[in-house]
Amino acid sequence: MTTTPRRVAVKVPATTANLGPGFDTLGLALSVYDELDVQVRDEPGAHVTVHGVGAGEVPTDESNLVVSSMAYTFEAMGRRMPGVNVTARNTIPHGRGLGSSGAAVVSGIMAAKGLLQGDVEIDADTLLRIATDLEGHPDNVAPALFGGLTIAWLTTSGPKQKRLIVHRGVAPLVFVPQFTMSTKLARSLQPASVPHEDAIFNVSRSALLIAALTQSPELMLAATEDKLHQNYRAAAMPETAKLVTLLRNAGYAAVVSGAGPSILVLADGPGQRLAAAELVATQADTPWQAMMLAVDFKGATVTPVDDDERLAPESR
């Protein structure tokens, strides 16, 4: 008789969306992670313990985004969610444009997937559909779920995604400021329509960006040009806009990470990445934390934990 796990471990990467011209479409998984330990308990309800980012700030009951995403997934699968104790170890910065809310949503979904193993199997399309239902759009949740570079789009039958392998020469660098940015505010600054020539401009750059990220990193500066969203949001985060301009004028492929205010630099090698970090360290007017990262190729994982707390092989 198959039994469902009573304890699972979850690991979900940070993400950066848009990548310049690929507004609401392109996303990249990065090597910064939030991790969960979720254990079924006999009592109903949920209790969350948070270590690291968000400790003392995020809810620790059923209203926690991880727990509510878990509950939504159980309901979507026609099952009642058990009581759980959740321990979160967070390293993804909140409110900085690195997909922290998407990671929380995906963490809850993956925890539910793990706890339902042996009872209900949740395939990749269903994972993406549930995550998009909860997050509102798939550009952050797709790379969080599947890793690598993802192209996400919506159809009448639901969200879809294609995962691509990033060229090994691409070296991501993220500059994280001390201040935050509301995604809701950032999106409210977008116009309802854009000029025809701007739309054409971004279509060409998005196509070029796929080539740059997968085959030709030397094209990255031209490929990350954008006219659809960054300029409209610049007034809300002037420090970010100023640093993006400084970096791009110096030849670095810098863009706003997601809704901001962090900045992503897609360097075409470790040497260029180090040079960009040195430029910011010596010329930026405000403090920025430089994070030299790798592309995460694995995406979210969930692992059953046995009674001896030994990890079983990872599953997706």
Side-chain angles (χ1 to χ4, degrees):
M1 179 179 177
T2 302
T3 59
T4 57
R6 290 186 59 83
R7 184 177 179 187
V8 295
V10 176
K11 185 176 182 179
V12 179
T15 56
T16 179
N18 302 329
L19 313 184
F23 184 61
D24 277 3
T25 301
L26 300 181
L28 189 66
L30 299 172
S31 59
V32 183
Y33 302 92
D34 283 353
E35 297 184 58
L36 295 180
D37 183 289
V38 182
Q39 189 162 15
V40 174
R41 65 183 192 181
D42 294 332
E43 303 83 10
H47 180 266
V48 183
T49 302
V50 180
H51 301 283
V53 178
E57 300 173 1
V58 300
T60 57
D61 57 11
E62 290 90 343
S63 64
N64 181 281
L65 184 55
V66 170
V67 177
S68 62
S69 300
M70 200 184 313
Y72 185 95
T73 306
F74 268 88
E75 184 177 355
M77 295 297 104
R79 297 294 187 269
R80 182 185 296 274
M81 179 173 148
V84 290
N85 290 324
V86 178
T87 302
R89 296 175 178 84
N90 297 338
T91 62
I92 301 174
H94 286 184
R96 302 303 203 286
L98 290 170
S100 60
S101 66
V105 165
V106 169
S107 294
I109 295 170
M110 294 300 288
K113 172 181 168 63
L115 293 176
L116 286 166
Q117 184 176 322
D119 176 22
V120 178
E121 297 303 319
I122 308 177
D123 62 22
D125 286 344
T126 304
L127 290 173
L128 182 61
R129 176 180 59 78
I130 293 172
T132 304
D133 286 348
L134 290 165
E135 180 69 358
H137 40 89
D139 55 331
N140 268 314
V141 294
L145 281 167
F146 307 115
L149 168 67
T150 57
I151 307 170
W153 67 100
L154 298 174
T155 73
T156 54
S157 60
K160 305 293 182 183
Q161 64 86 31
K162 174 63 178 177
R163 177 180 178 273
L164 301 174
I165 299 298
V166 177
H167 191 284
R168 63 183 180 180
V170 176
L173 169 61
V174 176
F175 293 105
V176 182
Q178 296 176 346
F179 55 93
T180 62
M181 180 68 185
S182 161
T183 300
K184 183 177 180 180
L185 172 60
R187 297 187 76 85
S188 73
L189 300 173
Q190 296 296 122
S193 61
V194 297
H196 185 258
E197 57 269 26
D198 288 356
I200 294 173
F201 182 96
N202 270 58
V203 168
S204 68
R205 297 313 190 274
S206 294
L208 182 61
L209 183 55
I210 297 300
L213 283 167
T214 59
Q215 298 178 353
S216 306
E218 71 277 4
L219 298 174
M220 205 73 73
L221 182 61
T224 50
E225 293 178 313
D226 159 70
K227 290 188 177 182
L228 286 190
H229 67 103
Q230 293 179 113
N231 289 341
Y232 297 110
R233 297 172 171 180
M237 39 186 168
E239 299 95 336
T240 296
K242 183 176 181 180
L243 190 56
V244 167
T245 299
L246 173 69
L247 285 160
R248 293 192 69 85
N249 286 344
Y252 302 109
V255 297
V256 178
S257 179
S262 295
I263 294 168
L264 169 71
V265 176
L266 291 167
D268 63 8
Q272 189 187 58
R273 180 165 68 174
L274 286 170
E278 178 65 19
L279 175 69
V280 172
T282 56
Q283 297 192 32
D285 294 335
T286 54
W288 297 82
Q289 178 190 2
M291 300 177 69
M292 298 191 186
L293 304 174
V295 176
D296 172 89
F297 293 106
K298 186 176 289 187
T301 59
V302 58
T303 310
V305 180
D306 67 17
D307 291 337
D308 296 325
E309 299 187 7
R310 293 174 299 193
L311 296 184
E314 289 181 340
S315 66
R316 280 288 275 279

